[in-house]
Amino acid sequence: MINKWLKEEKRVNTHYSKFSVIDLTENDMQEEVKKLKKFLANRILIHLDYPERLRRIYKDEPKDKLRKHILDLILPKKGVHFNPEQSFLSEIITAEILEKIRKAILPIYKLRYKELRNKAMRGKADVIACNLLGDKPRIIFAEVKSKITYKKKIAEEAYKGLIKNNVEVPEIVDYISKILENDDEYNLASLFCKAIINPSFYSKDFHIFLIFEKGKWKEDILKNLDNIQVELPNLTLNVVLINSLKDLIKEAYSLVPEVAEEIVYNEQE
């Protein structure tokens, strides 16, 4: 579904010398807009919790108990001074782009490991992924910013967060190596452990994802970043422009309890 929803195009012959730019824009989903929202609701649930755990707990319980669990313990708390729903969904969309469009591998669903309902997991990268093609493994560090209003320095702020990963052993690499206790089919546990003792074993790609309300985007955001000192190698700016982003976020989250019921009680259409 993410491939149907978003199309990407890498800019060529730009005047930006310090980074490359990939634009991601929406395809016409008018006939499948309900499927898109349910898809996003499904990914919210899967990124925030384990479907198997929910089945184990609630498969023999009434639906209202499952719904209460989703609203009270899994989804971000309402009424806080910032918008965790927007930031979480933006990280989820980023992870889906890297996994489904860029064909990278997600070592973990990072938001499952957040310490508080309204606060993402520690570590100096919002999303991390791996690419095992080529001569040696690549670890992708992504910083995500999402806005429904214009903010000229948003890319600069993202860069200042991302550059913290340009160290010998990034904190997030060490943290993920602790979570991946067993090797899977890609041997990711071994990869992250080896990355700690031998940082030259892998390459780093750095990505900034700017997920914006389409009508509020201005190219000045990239021009501002290009005017500061940029030292990161392999830096890519991903500009994701979405119509009615605020409404999409609200409607996708509203469908999460319904999607949870379908998963737990095997009621998928």
Side-chain angles (χ1 to χ4, degrees):
M1 180 60 73
I2 196 85
N3 293 279
K4 287 185 178 181
W5 178 35
L6 298 174
K7 58 184 175 183
E8 64 175 14
E9 183 176 353
K10 186 173 182 178
R11 296 189 193 180
V12 295
N13 300 323
T14 70
H15 61 274
Y16 301 122
S17 59
K18 302 170 185 175
F19 50 83
S20 60
V21 181
I22 297 177
D23 292 298
L24 293 103
T25 55
E26 292 181 293
N27 289 308
D28 182 9
M29 296 289 290
Q30 187 171 356
E31 295 183 2
E32 296 186 273
V33 65
K34 184 177 180 180
K35 286 184 179 179
L36 172 62
K37 293 171 183 175
K38 286 196 73 172
F39 164 77
L40 292 175
N42 175 277
R43 303 321 293 171
I44 290 168
L45 181 65
I46 287 172
H47 277 259
L48 292 180
D49 208 333
Y50 298 83
E52 298 81 5
R53 186 179 83 95
L54 295 176
R55 287 193 195 99
R56 189 165 60 245
I57 297 171
Y58 290 105
K59 64 180 181 179
D60 297 320
E61 297 293 328
K63 292 181 179 179
D64 61 324
K65 284 190 176 183
L66 171 63
R67 181 173 288 266
K68 188 174 189 307
H69 179 97
I70 298 296
L71 295 175
D72 292 352
L73 296 176
I74 294 179
L75 296 183
K77 188 176 181 180
K78 301 284 187 180
V80 293
H81 68 280
F82 60 99
N83 191 347
E85 289 186 347
Q86 182 173 326
S87 60
F88 288 179
L89 183 55
S90 296
E91 290 183 26
I92 291 166
I93 291 171
T94 295
E96 291 291 310
I97 291 169
L98 290 173
E99 183 179 31
K100 304 290 176 31
I101 298 179
R102 308 280 170 79
K103 306 303 180 184
I105 301 165
L106 300 178
I108 61 171
Y109 288 120
K110 186 169 174 281
L111 285 170
R112 287 182 181 177
Y113 297 90
K114 56 189 176 61
E115 297 168 358
L116 299 171
R117 281 176 66 190
N118 294 331
K119 187 176 181 180
M121 190 189 91
R122 68 172 185 160
K124 296 179 174 65
D126 291 325
V127 179
I128 191 162
C130 307
N131 189 326
L132 304 183
L133 301 176
D135 296 333
K136 63 180 181 178
R138 306 185 76 85
I139 296 181
I140 300 165
F141 301 87
E143 187 77 11
V144 184
K145 295 292 184 183
S146 177
K147 294 292 290 183
I148 58 174
T149 58
Y150 170 71
K151 188 174 184 180
K152 183 177 180 179
K153 293 188 176 182
I154 194 76
E156 180 181 348
E157 292 175 6
Y159 175 80
K160 289 178 180 178
L162 190 60
I163 199 171
K164 296 174 183 177
N165 295 284
N166 195 27
V167 295
E168 188 173 25
V169 181
E171 179 185 349
I172 191 66
V173 170
D174 180 63
Y175 190 84
I176 289 179
S177 74
K178 297 173 185 175
I179 295 173
L180 297 174
E181 295 181 356
N182 299 308
D183 274 327
D184 60 12
E185 61 177 309
Y186 300 109
N187 297 319
L188 294 182
S190 297
L191 186 156
F192 277 85
C193 288
K194 193 170 181 179
I196 294 172
I197 60 174
N198 181 15
S200 63
F201 157 71
Y202 72 98
S203 299
K204 295 177 182 176
D205 281 348
F206 297 97
H207 284 256
I208 293 173
F209 279 80
L210 303 174
I211 299 180
F212 254 74
E213 174 71 35
K214 186 175 181 179
K216 300 298 181 181
W217 172 259
K218 293 183 181 180
E219 196 67 15
D220 284 352
I221 293 169
L222 298 186
K223 292 177 181 177
N224 180 73
L225 178 63
D226 198 46
N227 287 332
I228 70 169
Q229 185 175 358
V230 173
E231 300 173 349
L232 281 177
N234 305 323
L235 176 61
T236 301
L237 270 289
N238 302 270
V239 180
V240 186
L241 300 183
I242 299 174
N243 284 305
S244 303
L245 178 58
K246 184 177 180 180
D247 291 339
L248 183 66
I249 293 166
K250 180 180 178 180
E251 291 166 18
Y253 274 93
S254 72
L255 291 171
V256 173
E258 177 184 332
V259 168
E261 290 177 7
E262 293 175 356
I263 290 174
V264 170
Y265 305 111
N266 295 313
E267 296 177 348
Q268 288 92 336
E269 296 177 0

